[in-house]
Structure formats: C-alpha cells, structure tokens
Amino acid sequence: MASATKGTDPSVRVRFCPSPTGNPHVGLVRTALFNWAFARHHGGTLVLRIEDTDAARDSEESYEQLLDAMRWLGLDWDEGPEVGGPHEPYRQSRRMEVYADVARRLQEAGHAYECYCTAEELEERREAARKAGKPSGYDGKCRTLTAEQIEAYRAEGRSAIVRFRMPDRPITFTDLVRGEITYQPENVSDYGIVRANGAPLYTLVNPVDDALMEITHVLRGEDLLSSTPRQIALYAALAEIGVGNGSTPSFGHLPYVMGEGNKKLSKRDPQSSLNLYRERGFLPEGLLNYLSLLGWSISEDRDIFSLQEMVDAFEIGDVNANPARFDLKKCEAINATHLRQMEVKDFIAACEPWLRAPYAPWAPEAFDRAAFDAIAPHAQTRLTVLSEITDNVDFLFLDEPVADEASWNKAMKPGADALLRTARAKLAEADWSSAEALKEAVLAAGEEHGLKLGKAQAPVRVAVTGRTVGLPLFESLEVLGRERTLARVDAALAKLAG
Ligand code: GLU
Ligand code: ZN
C-alpha cells in the first residue's frame, strides 16, 4: 500500500487500538485518521492493535469489518494484523499470558493487591461516602489485608479481583491538546485490573501493550481522559518492574463529537455508522477530509484538501479542545466537491458498483457503456454521493422510464398534452447532434403555449426520464437518442389521452 509521508522522526510510534464490537463508526475513524496523519506527518510508525479481551462483546465479524474499513479508507498501518511487526501478536486475545505475568509481578512488587469486597459491599460504602459528601471511589479497604483476613475471606468462598494501588500524590501531565492537567489523589482511587475470573481488564492490557510496544504518543477520544492519570501511575509501576522501556507516552485527547441536539454522537446513532457512508457512496477522501475537520483545521479559509495535504500540515498542537459538531450537510458538500475534482475516468470507475445489481434496476445487458460515458460528466458535477448515479441514469437503460406518480402529477397539469404534442413535432425535426438544438426545439414549443423554458421542459423531462429532477435535460435527450425520446413522448401522450 502506498502511503503518504512527510517528515522524518521515525521514533514516533502511535497506535490505533479499536475493540472489535459492532460496526465501525465515524468517531472511531476520526481517531484512526488523526493517529495515521500524526504518524505519517512525522514519518513514524502506526501500530494497529486489536483490543479484543472482552470475549462477550468482541466478534470476528467486527474484526474483519475494522480491517476492511481501514483498507477502504486507505489508512494503512505499519505494524499489526496481516502486516506483522516486532511486537506480535497484535491481537490482545492472543497475549493473555503476557498480562497474567505482568499482573502477577505488579502484585509481587506491591503495586497491586487482591480485593475481596463484594459488589454489594462496594455499593453500600460508595452510597455512604456520597451521603457524607466524600469522594465515592474505592476506599482502599483491602490495601492492607493480613494473611489471616485473606484466609478468612477465602474460607467464606469469596474470590478476589486485582486492584492497582494508586500513589497518594497528585498526578500532572501535559495533554497535547488541552495543556497541563492535574488530578488529585482523592479523585483517582485504586482500580481493578484483573477480574475475579482472572480475565485482565482494559485498564491493564491497554497501558501494558502501549509500554511493550513502545508507544510514544497516545491520541484518543476525550472520553478516556479520566483513565489517563491511572495509566500514568501504572506506567511508573511498569517501569519499576521492567515492563517496556521505562518511558511514559505523551497523551492528546481529541474533542468530543456532538450529533443532533448537541448530544454526544453515539455509536448507536444511525449517522455515525461508517457502513452507511460506504453504501451511500462517499469517497474515502471526501469522508476523511470532513472527519479531519472534527477538531482540526488546515487553515481558516479552507476546508477542502487532500489527505497528503492533511499529512503535510497536521500538528497535534493545532487540535482544538472544544467539542466538534458533526454536520452531515457539510460532510456531503465536501464529498460533492471531491467528486467534482476527480478525473472523469476515475469518477466513471468509482460509479461502477452502483451500475450493477443490487443497486441498478436495469438488466445487465441493457447497460450501454458509451451512453454512460457520455452522460457521466454531467452527473459528476451534480452528485453528492456516488449512489445517486443509479437514479440519475436509469432512464438510459430501462425499457421505460420509472413510474413516479408524484413527478407525473406535478408535471402533467392541464395543457401538458398540447405542449408535449408541439414539442414532439419540433424535436422530430431538430438536429440531434446538438443538445443546444434540442433546447431550441423545446423553447420554441414553450413559446407557442406561452410557457417559459422551465415550465415547458417539465412535462418533457417526466415523459422521458419519469422524474421532475435529474441531469441536464437536453444532454440527456441527446444521449438517449431521437427514436427512444420520441417514443417516450408518444407513450406519455397516450397515457394522458387515457
Ligand atoms: N480499545 C479502547 C477503545 O476502543 C482504546 C482506547 C485507547 O485508545 O486507549 O476505547
Ligand atoms: Zn476490597
């Protein structure tokens, strides 16, 4: 895969580490894009790591979809599934011994301990703390259990989770997007890293792998900001027990993406599903251009650019901490601009999937390559997304235009038959080698009936294409040809005559 590059700071190592649950969504793509652009800008390394430690929620199907989405978008990775790398395997489900070993060593070194509190006990104490106006995180009850207490808990049949022991001091870090942030110890309590059944949690496996994979910069969504002080403390402990190279990555938290009604865009929001954009025929470049604007901008007066231009300009320090609003209309407008900027031949090639089943309603043998190539440039300047091509050209390949009641009723007002008869006569006489001549014919017909061109062409358009809106009419007629055009006008007249 050819990849955009710019600078040379090969020590930069970032990761995109999705969990394979559900369908890829635009928030996830934005995170992937920013990490990719950052890696390419610096000439560093993008690691793709699959965080599939939650067997109940992860699926192979979702994993395949993630890789497929990355490939479709053109966001290539340097280490990870399928390409390999020095830190294999890159799927966390295949690294379980690593995590078990680290958890054990953290406990041995006193950085983690067994907690035997039951869910009910924890809830009860949390509630009491809340009532007393105290911080409601874990209260540290099991920090100093004696061997006898542990024995007694086990005799009761209790099982333990493993908790990480947070240091009793403030944690300060400089977020690459937000600047300096400090967390006070009373607000960051000891947290679980291994479940009672022995399964390691995200809180452990994510920083452990970042350490082992020598990640230098963590760029991720703002929703994960509160886990950062915990992870920074864990890094220090990992360094102490010799896991990783001892350094802590820099963190940059990308702003929230807001959807309708100023609510956070959720995975469940239909407009957040990447598949929807693929099915509607967004160009990867168009969609990524738009998603790059969710928290970043190339300059104040410019919102259309290529991926290479983004790579060249992308500085994480330019990312804005304020929530970004997802604006579908703008996303579509940017895609439309990218469509218009394509070479015609590339546009034609990109339309291909929508000229076949299941999208195209015509018989495969009815498709006429020359006719399509002739009309394509007119479509290219009008489409928002590629899937719109089908309805715009179906009049060329269907035996009869689509039957659209609403369009028919709108265009075929009283008097439409008289206009159509005159237009038919003039079109029959016209020079069919020029769209301009066909326009003159319909214009002249309109004049005879006291109609401007717009009004006069409406019944002709519906007679020929079935719809009130579509590609430029006279170019459409020219491509459809004299015989078929006249036959369709005749058919419409017959229908009007009842
Ligand atoms: N697997 C985590 C998620 O998808 C990754 C979070 C992170 O980037 O640290 O939320
Ligand atoms: Zn406990």
Side-chain angles (χ1 to χ4, degrees):
M1 218 184 294
S3 181
T5 46
K6 193 199 175 205
T8 42
D9 182 0
S11 67
V12 163
R13 291 178 58 81
V14 291
R15 81 311 195 255
F16 172 54
C17 52
S19 298
T21 59
N23 303 326
H25 58 96
V26 292
L28 204 65
V29 175
R30 197 265 314 249
T31 300
L33 171 64
F34 281 35
N35 277 285
W36 178 86
F38 185 81
R40 297 295 168 255
H41 178 83
H42 291 287
T45 299
L46 175 64
V47 176
L48 173 60
R49 184 172 77 224
I50 305 298
E51 304 216 316
D52 55 350
T53 51
D54 188 347
R57 298 179 58 223
D58 301 327
S59 76
E60 203 59 22
E61 187 193 350
S62 173
Y63 164 76
E64 295 293 345
Q65 281 197 28
L66 273 168
L67 264 56
D68 182 49
M70 293 286 282
R71 272 190 233 100
W72 178 71
L73 291 161
L75 300 178
D76 56 341
W77 58 98
D78 309 298
E79 291 177 24
E82 295 183 351
V83 305
H87 301 285
E88 280 181 301
Y90 290 90
R91 294 186 68 171
Q92 292 187 323
S93 56
R94 311 205 171 145
R95 300 170 62 80
M96 290 301 182
E97 333 67 79
V98 174
Y99 311 130
D101 178 57
V102 173
R104 184 182 50 75
R105 284 157 66 193
L106 283 170
Q107 284 183 79
E108 280 167 10
H111 290 297
Y113 59 90
E114 290 184 337
C115 165
Y116 287 87
C117 301
T118 64
E120 297 73 41
E121 288 167 349
L122 290 172
E123 182 48 39
E124 219 168 87
R125 273 144 50 202
R126 210 176 293 137
E127 197 45 44
R130 250 185 243 126
K131 285 210 180 103
K134 295 206 187 110
S136 56
Y138 184 69
D139 56 8
K141 182 162 192 286
C142 301
R143 272 187 161 198
T144 53
L145 293 181
T146 62
E148 290 74 43
Q149 284 170 308
I150 291 177
E151 202 51 51
Y153 277 142
R154 287 193 182 152
E156 276 178 42
R158 294 190 187 219
S159 52
I161 68 161
V162 178
R163 264 187 208 283
F164 182 74
R165 187 190 304 272
M166 282 297 292
D168 295 314
R169 55 176 163 74
I171 290 182
T172 296
F173 62 97
T174 304
D175 188 278
L176 299 166
V177 174
R178 274 142 236 275
E180 195 174 286
I181 302 179
T182 297
Y183 282 87
Q184 298 302 330
E186 59 272 25
N187 296 326
V188 194
S189 52
D190 298 352
Y191 60 95
I193 56 174
V194 180
R195 285 207 173 92
N197 66 4
L201 289 163
Y202 159 79
T203 51
L204 176 71
V205 300
N206 176 277
V208 163
D209 281 344
D210 284 348
L212 290 172
M213 296 178 182
E214 300 180 2
I215 297 303
T216 58
H217 297 78
V218 169
L219 312 182
R220 59 183 179 187
E222 185 173 352
D223 50 322
L224 293 158
L225 182 59
S226 64
S227 68
T228 300
R230 299 169 162 194
Q231 297 191 346
I232 286 175
L234 180 51
Y235 266 105
L238 292 175
E240 235 182 85
I241 63 169
V243 173
N245 66 5
S247 59
T248 301
S250 304
F251 290 83
H253 290 89
L254 310 176
Y256 282 121
V257 179
M258 314 305 276
E260 296 293 322
N262 234 28
K263 285 211 302 274
K264 256 173 60 191
L265 190 65
S266 105
K267 281 190 222 185
R268 285 163 294 277
D269 239 308
Q271 60 166 353
S272 78
S273 160
L274 178 67
N275 290 342
L276 190 88
Y277 294 84
R278 284 180 77 167
E279 272 160 30
R280 288 188 61 200
F282 275 76
L283 296 171
E285 284 253 330
L287 182 61
L288 291 174
N289 182 166
Y290 178 67
L291 295 181
S292 76
L293 299 176
L294 297 176
W296 182 75
S297 65
I298 198 160
S299 69
E300 253 173 52
D301 51 359
R302 216 177 136 208
D303 52 18
I304 305 289
F305 42 86
S306 68
L307 270 179
Q308 181 63 57
E309 288 173 302
M310 179 191 183
V311 164
D312 290 346
F314 188 76
E315 300 288 352
I316 187 69
D318 292 342
V319 171
N320 192 322
N322 296 326
R325 201 174 75 79
F326 189 87
D327 179 346
L328 185 58
K329 286 272 164 294
K330 179 152 188 190
C331 183
E332 290 172 343
I334 285 180
N335 193 67
T337 307
H338 279 271
L339 280 177
R340 284 196 288 279
Q341 289 177 349
M342 295 171 96
E343 300 281 342
V344 177
K345 68 170 179 19
D346 294 336
F347 171 76
I348 288 174
C351 287
E352 217 53 53
W354 286 278
L355 303 176
R356 294 192 298 259
Y359 303 103
W362 54 81
E365 59 280 9
F367 182 72
D368 175 344
R369 172 59 56 191
F372 181 74
D373 290 358
I375 205 75
H378 301 292
Q380 188 179 355
T381 56
R382 284 167 181 80
L383 300 192
T384 298
V385 290
L386 289 165
S387 62
E388 291 164 358
I389 193 67
T390 320
D391 285 358
N392 272 287
V393 301
D394 63 0
F395 72 96
L396 288 171
F397 312 122
L398 291 170
D399 288 341
E400 288 171 24
V402 290
D404 174 357
E405 274 306 300
S407 289
W408 180 272
N409 294 336
K410 196 166 159 204
M412 301 303 185
K413 294 270 147 62
D417 52 344
L419 179 277
L420 277 178
R421 265 190 298 277
T422 310
R424 193 218 186 272
K426 298 210 184 285
L427 284 169
E429 312 274 82
D431 168 10
W432 277 76
S433 65
S434 115
E436 195 50 39
L438 304 178
K439 177 178 167 184
E440 291 304 325
V442 173
L443 189 67
E447 268 165 15
E448 280 188 21
H449 296 270
L451 295 172
K452 294 228 170 71
L453 182 62
K455 284 260 187 290
Q457 65 173 329
V460 178
R461 181 186 286 282
V462 171
V464 172
T465 72
R467 297 187 177 89
T468 49
V469 287
L471 301 181
L473 180 61
F474 305 107
E475 283 77 0
S476 300
L477 300 186
E478 191 188 355
V479 175
L480 186 64
R482 183 177 184 276
E483 305 320 314
R484 294 177 77 195
T485 300
L486 297 181
R488 286 183 186 189
V489 174
D490 289 341
L493 281 167
K495 184 172 168 189
L496 284 170

